[in-house]
Amino acid sequence: MSDRDLFALFYFTKGEPLGRLEDLVRRAGVTGARTRSWGTGVVQGAWGGLSCESHLLQLSCTTVLVVNFREDDFHAMREGAGELIYDDGAIDLAHSFRDSCLALQPLAAFISTYPFPMDFEVAEKQEAIVVNRDVAALVEERFNLFYLSPDQLAELQSRERLAARDMLPAGSGLLLFGDSGPDRW
């Protein structure tokens, strides 16, 4: 895509059988998934109402599924976002993210709506926290949208960190936004 891409990261234990990238992104809910003809290892499609490209990163301890989408498309989707969570134009993206997390059962997953130049740098920076299962540190990162699995939610010692943030149920887990109201993303 471009240097103004946003992304979702889904972490898996290295060596976990994930299958072909095309099949993995379909399980994640990417529709119209097709391998880009001019490159290998990238699948294009649509996810959460946005055009996207997906690829895998091989880090030292994890494999990370990256779903990139354009910053401009995301902000256009959120145009006129209201105070209530269900008035947010990006609620479909949140629901797609939830469905992806429930289908894939990653070690950790989050969406960044800040345009970092390289998704690899962010994925690598967070890998140790994910591998060490430091749930409190992951919550403190205040990702724009973070999936707390049922196990992670049970491990979280203090729930007061969650109080001032918008949340959505995700099966027995939770989607936790970075903030609340129109600033939730």
Side-chain angles (χ1 to χ4, degrees):
M1 294 191 101
S2 73
D3 63 351
R4 299 299 292 187
D5 286 344
L6 309 178
F7 51 84
L9 300 179
F10 301 86
Y11 289 82
F12 302 94
T13 303
K14 192 166 199 127
E16 183 177 334
L18 299 174
R20 294 177 341 130
L21 177 59
E22 293 84 355
D23 296 333
L24 182 63
V25 298
R26 283 187 188 100
R27 284 188 11 237
V30 173
T31 58
R34 63 195 178 287
T35 302
R36 199 164 68 179
S37 61
W38 59 89
T40 58
V42 176
V43 173
Q44 297 174 311
W47 183 67
L50 299 168
S51 294
C52 68
E53 290 185 352
S54 304
H55 63 276
L56 291 173
L57 295 175
Q58 299 296 331
L59 302 180
S60 59
C61 299
T62 60
T63 299
V64 182
L65 171 63
V66 180
V67 180
N68 293 104
F69 49 94
R70 296 193 189 285
E71 178 183 27
D72 291 344
D73 294 344
F74 173 75
H75 289 298
M77 174 185 272
R78 291 214 61 229
E79 209 48 51
E83 187 70 29
L84 300 175
I85 199 164
Y86 288 103
D87 292 337
D88 193 306
I91 194 68
D92 288 343
L93 178 61
H95 288 157
S96 291
F97 178 69
R98 175 204 58 210
D99 295 346
S100 298
C101 291
L102 294 174
L104 300 175
Q105 296 296 301
L107 295 171
F110 63 87
I111 291 179
S112 174
T113 60
Y114 179 83
F116 291 98
M118 298 293 294
D119 50 44
F120 177 79
E121 292 171 3
V122 175
E124 193 173 56
K125 178 182 175 215
Q126 302 303 327
E127 184 183 39
I129 298 171
V130 169
V131 170
N132 292 331
R133 299 186 54 87
D134 191 344
V135 179
L138 288 167
V139 168
E140 287 300 314
E141 286 288 331
R142 295 187 82 85
F143 300 115
N144 302 103
L145 189 56
F146 175 61
Y147 171 66
L148 278 161
S149 70
D151 291 343
Q152 290 170 323
L153 198 52
E155 289 175 26
L156 193 59
Q157 300 297 320
S158 172
R159 303 274 172 105
E160 66 188 45
R161 295 178 174 135
L162 311 180
R165 296 159 72 172
D166 282 345
M167 297 175 249
L168 288 171
S172 297
L174 189 68
L175 291 186
L176 182 63
F177 286 88
D179 209 333
S180 63
D183 299 325
R184 70 185 51 88
W185 289 94

